[in-house]
Amino acid sequence: AAPALLKTFKPFFVDFTLPLHVVRGEQAKIPLSVYNYMGTCAEVYVKISVPKGIRFVGHPGKRHLTKKMCVASGEMEPTWVVLSFSDLGSSNITAKALAYGEASCCRDGKALRHLEESFGDRRVPAGRDHIKRSVTVEPEGAPRAYTYSAFFCPNERVHISTPNKYEFQYVQRPLCLTRFDVAVR
């Protein structure tokens, strides 16, 4: 078959970038961008959701935060949220955006009329997007490196030296070993 050119285009979308790693207890300002390439101005509602262990700074106890904005046709509108991280490990943060396109909703980037800030609007959205990003929360403090030694002698004697950390170190048994002695200092 002859090659064909395929062009994909999304006329409305939301995007945000998270740092790969944050330190527990740290606060981070997260920029969000809403892009409108539809033919009309869009009244946009962006709902940001965070899991347990991440908080919105300035909105205690909330797991979801909705921001309302007006995005002119062919434009991008930035916004941001400040998050505080408390639980270690990887967490997902999601953003859902609904755009209601109306030719008269914006003037100089401002909404002309105020509607209830919720996702329960009965109008049919002209555009929608959903995005999920991950962030890893690491413990505070400085990273440390430990060195472990294992010596294998030609007569199949094994000497293992470990730091005083109360950890196990596994060493594969030499093939000719029939017995072993343990010496602890």
Side-chain angles (χ1 to χ4, degrees):
L5 179 63
L6 176 64
K7 182 179 180 182
T8 61
F9 183 72
K10 199 169 187 180
F12 173 77
F13 61 98
V14 62
D15 192 22
F16 68 97
T17 304
L18 291 173
L20 292 177
H21 306 281
V22 294
V23 176
R24 177 175 44 194
E26 188 174 63
Q27 293 182 1
K29 186 175 182 178
I30 309 300
L32 290 100
S33 300
V34 178
Y35 298 85
N36 177 13
Y37 296 111
M38 299 184 295
T40 63
C41 177
E43 187 175 312
V44 178
Y45 296 88
V46 180
K47 181 179 180 181
I48 303 107
S49 302
V50 296
K52 183 179 179 233
I54 299 177
R55 294 185 349 256
F56 292 104
V57 174
H59 304 277
K62 284 190 156 188
R63 293 278 167 248
H64 311 283
L65 185 65
T66 302
K67 292 196 164 239
K68 178 185 172 186
M69 64 187 71
C70 184
V71 185
S73 178
E75 297 290 326
M76 180 273 299
E77 185 71 29
T79 187
W80 50 270
V81 294
V82 178
L83 301 176
S84 175
F85 303 88
S86 60
D87 288 358
L88 297 177
S90 182
S91 296
N92 291 324
I93 299 171
T94 60
K96 295 178 184 178
L98 296 177
Y100 299 99
E102 295 180 20
S104 63
C105 75
C106 300
R107 178 180 297 142
D108 298 329
K110 305 289 187 240
L112 291 179
R113 57 190 178 99
H114 178 73
L115 294 174
E116 182 181 328
E117 291 192 34
S118 73
F119 269 58
D121 201 318
R122 296 190 187 275
R123 297 178 291 167
V124 177
R128 65 177 68 218
D129 194 24
H130 181 146
I131 189 168
K132 182 182 350 181
R133 298 277 193 253
S134 293
V135 63
T136 302
V137 181
E138 297 178 337
E140 54 281 318
R144 290 183 149 189
Y146 294 97
T147 303
Y148 298 93
S149 309
F151 302 103
F152 293 92
C153 299
N155 62 357
E156 296 296 330
R157 293 188 74 206
V158 177
H159 173 79
I160 299 172
S161 172
T162 61
N164 189 13
K165 287 182 46 179
Y166 302 102
E167 291 181 355
F168 292 103
Q169 180 180 358
Y170 296 95
V171 176
Q172 187 173 359
R173 179 180 66 88
L175 296 175
C176 300
L177 185 68
T178 56
R179 71 180 194 115
F180 65 93
D181 296 319
V182 176
V184 178
R185 261 196 272 177

